[in-house]
């Protein structure tokens, strides 16, 4: 399963970023192979519609799951339509996020959070 | 002749200055602060005409669309996204640039119009007054500002009440202006944002001067800054309770005998500066 996590850094010891559209990096973890790679978030550079740009990027990557703090209305709409499952997590180290996900401890995001949350 | 009243910092008295200046100058009043226009609270005009402001946005013709995603790549504003060969449109992010339609090889991008705001025109104290209103929830004010400013006659004397700050909304208003009145207050925030506003106005090469609101009558940081940088102070509005009371009742200061001369003096100073330029 390919899981994308909004991240503050490129390492599994770096913290998850609770912002989706304006996070610095996306870490894409392959939970079976135990491998991961890192993308710079296209959304953080955009003047407006950061959530849309970020969502488009991870949809194009063909991931199965996204883990972040919350999704704004536009990003939620896209992730939902793309059939990607979204889970909510607090700020913690990426390796802990993955453990929590594997143990089924994360709550699914079923509705959009406030717009412009990460400004 | 368009006289823009701007400030940098919000809440320094742009509307107080521009409404009273309009009356003192016998000039048309134009409220370009379309996100929260408030000049009409003081001018209380009879609204005689309302025009809607429309913006274009793309509509995808699903019969012609092949889901190639060229339109998504062409959009600089993230107004389009592609999910499973479907193109999704986020109309509020669209800047109506037409790039998506231009790149579509299948003629699948059509344009429709939606209403984003309105322009109200009326008469107050014998003056022609106008205001733009951006609908709640709409993120882009510039199309309303442009339509409003394109509707006024530059051969007449117009006082333009600008939005606060130095954003696109102010830049687009200044594009139509021949003179700028910068309203500020003697506080650190007032000075900080005045410097930004001056920098912006200078880039337009138009004459300008400063009005100090809530002036305590003493030498202060604004007076010092203007003196050090050879910037003309056009007028001062004293900091007193009577002014605040008239303002909070929505009254025009110019009709009060204690305040009339403040704006008559401002008019004289503006005329003086304009005769040099």
């Amino acid at each position: 399963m390919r899981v994308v996590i909004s991240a503050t850094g490129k390492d599994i010891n770096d913290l998850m970023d609770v912002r989706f559209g304006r996070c610095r990096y996306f870490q894409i973890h392959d939970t079976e192979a135990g491998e991961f790679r890192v993308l710079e978030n296209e959304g953080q550079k955009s003047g407006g519609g950061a959530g849309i740009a970020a969502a488009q990027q991870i949809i194009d990557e063909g991931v199965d799951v996204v883990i972040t703090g919350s999704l704004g209305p536009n990003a939620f709409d896209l992730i939902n339509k793309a059939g990607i499952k979204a889970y909510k997590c607090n700020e913690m180290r990426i390796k802990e996020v993955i453990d929590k996900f594997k143990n089924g401890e994360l709550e699914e995001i079923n509705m959009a959070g406030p717009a412009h949350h990460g400004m | 002749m368009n006289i823009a009243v701007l400030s940098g910092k919000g809440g320094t008295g742009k509307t107080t200055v521009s409404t009273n200046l309009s009356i003192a100058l016998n000039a048309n009043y134009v409220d370009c602060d379309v996100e929260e226009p408030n000049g009409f609270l003081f001018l209380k005009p009879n609204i005689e005409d309302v025009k809607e402001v429309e913006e274009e946005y793309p509509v995808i013709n699903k019969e012609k669309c092949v889901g190639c995603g060229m339109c998504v790549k062409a959009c600089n504003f993230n107004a389009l996204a592609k999910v499973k060969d479907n193109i999704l449109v986020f109309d509020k992010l669209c800047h109506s640039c037409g790039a998506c339609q231009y790149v579509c090889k299948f003629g699948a991008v059509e344009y429709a119009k939606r209403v984003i705001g309105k322009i109200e025109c009326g008469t107050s104290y014998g003056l022609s007054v106008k205001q733009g209103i951006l609908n709640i929830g709409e993120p882009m004010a510039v199309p309303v500002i442009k339509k409003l400013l394109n509707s006024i006659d530059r051969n007449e004397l117009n006082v333009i009440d600008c939005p606060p700050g130095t954003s696109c909304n102010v830049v687009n208003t200044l594009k139509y202006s021949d003179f700028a009145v910068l309203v500020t207050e003697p506080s650190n925030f007032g000075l900080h944002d005045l410097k930004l506003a001056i920098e912006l106005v200078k880039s337009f090469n138009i004459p300008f001067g400063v009005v100090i609101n809530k002036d305590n009558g003493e030498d202060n940081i604004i007076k010092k800054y203007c003196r050090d940088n050879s910037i003309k102070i056009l007028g001062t509005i004293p900091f007193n309770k009577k002014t605040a009371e008239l303002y909070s009742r929505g009254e025009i200061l110019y009709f009060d005998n204690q305040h009339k001369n403040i704006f008559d003096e401002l008019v004289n100073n503006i005329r003086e500066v304009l005769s040099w330029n």
Side-chain angles (χ1 to χ4, degrees), chain A residues 46 48-49 52-53 56 74 78 82, chain B residues 78 81-84 88 90 93:
Chain A
S46 58
I52 296 169
Q56 182 72 68
N74 293 339
L78 285 174
Chain B
N78 300 318
K82 182 186 157 187
V83 178
K84 297 178 176 171
L88 286 115
F90 296 90
L93 291 163

Side-chain angles (χ1 to χ4, degrees), chain A residues 55 59 66 71 73-86 108-111, chain B residues 83-84:
Chain A
I59 288 167
V66 55
L71 292 168
N74 293 339
F76 179 79
D77 190 27
L78 285 174
I79 297 290
N80 204 20
K81 284 201 168 90
I84 298 171
K85 276 200 182 297
E108 201 169 329
I109 299 175
N110 292 316
M111 59 181 285
Chain B
V83 178
K84 297 178 176 171

Side-chain angles (χ1 to χ4, degrees), chain A residues 28-42:
Chain A
I28 302 180
H29 289 259
D30 187 323
T31 51
E32 281 93 31
E35 294 165 349
F36 76 102
R37 60 194 190 87
V38 181
L39 303 173
E40 278 197 31
N41 173 17
E42 297 287 338

